[in-house]
Amino acid sequence: GPEGTEITLSFSRPPLPPPLKPVKKVQPPKMAGVGMRLDIKKTTFQGTFCTVHIVGSLNPEGAAFESGLIQDGDELVRVDGRSCSKLDGKQVASLIFGPEGSSITMDMERDTPQQKDQ
């Protein structure tokens, strides 16, 4: 059956060059995602409408791919403990998008194929 896996990812960030002179203006942090595209499937579970967020593809330079723990077809269940089943794509995107260098915890589920006896 489906197995739950908890994964903590950090947003990747290129090294910053040293400042040439003191900067008075505070720059907003650069924003980054974890490097995965989600496909959305609307369904009902036990009579309740819900949204399933499935990993459609991974960016080879993103934190999700680099973790080695996430595969195409995995289901994103929770982000930082918040269930994704009632959230639309934009809401989930806002949860997995943040300042470079910050981290989030994503709970994923993977359907494991049943092993056949040989």
Side-chain angles (χ1 to χ4, degrees), residues 1-68:
E3 294 180 0
T5 305
E6 188 171 289
I7 299 167
T8 300
L9 296 177
S10 293
F11 297 98
S12 30
R13 174 178 64 168
L16 296 173
L20 299 175
K21 58 184 179 180
V23 179
K24 290 180 181 163
K25 187 191 285 186
V26 176
Q27 296 290 334
K30 278 187 142 181
M31 301 297 279
V34 296
M36 65 182 190
R37 181 179 58 77
L38 294 170
D39 294 330
I40 296 166
K41 296 179 182 173
K42 297 187 186 297
T43 184
T44 52
F45 178 71
Q46 296 177 344
T48 305
F49 174 79
C50 59
T51 308
V52 180
H53 303 271
I54 304 291
V55 177
S57 64
L58 296 172
N59 178 338
E61 296 175 7
F65 179 85
E66 289 175 358
S67 75

Side-chain angles (χ1 to χ4, degrees), residues 4 17 20 30 32 84 99 103 106 114:
L20 299 175
K30 278 187 142 181
C84 297
S103 62
M106 299 191 303
Q114 298 299 316

Side-chain angles (χ1 to χ4, degrees), residues 35 104 117:
I104 58 171
D117 294 332

Side-chain angles (χ1 to χ4, degrees), residues 1-9 36 55 64 67-71 74-81 104-112:
E3 294 180 0
T5 305
E6 188 171 289
I7 299 167
T8 300
L9 296 177
M36 65 182 190
V55 177
S67 75
L69 299 170
I70 299 175
Q71 299 175 6
D74 287 355
E75 178 185 349
L76 176 60
V77 182
R78 280 179 296 281
V79 178
D80 289 333
I104 58 171
T105 300
M106 299 191 303
D107 295 330
M108 310 295 291
E109 285 187 1
R110 177 174 303 149
D111 284 331
T112 52

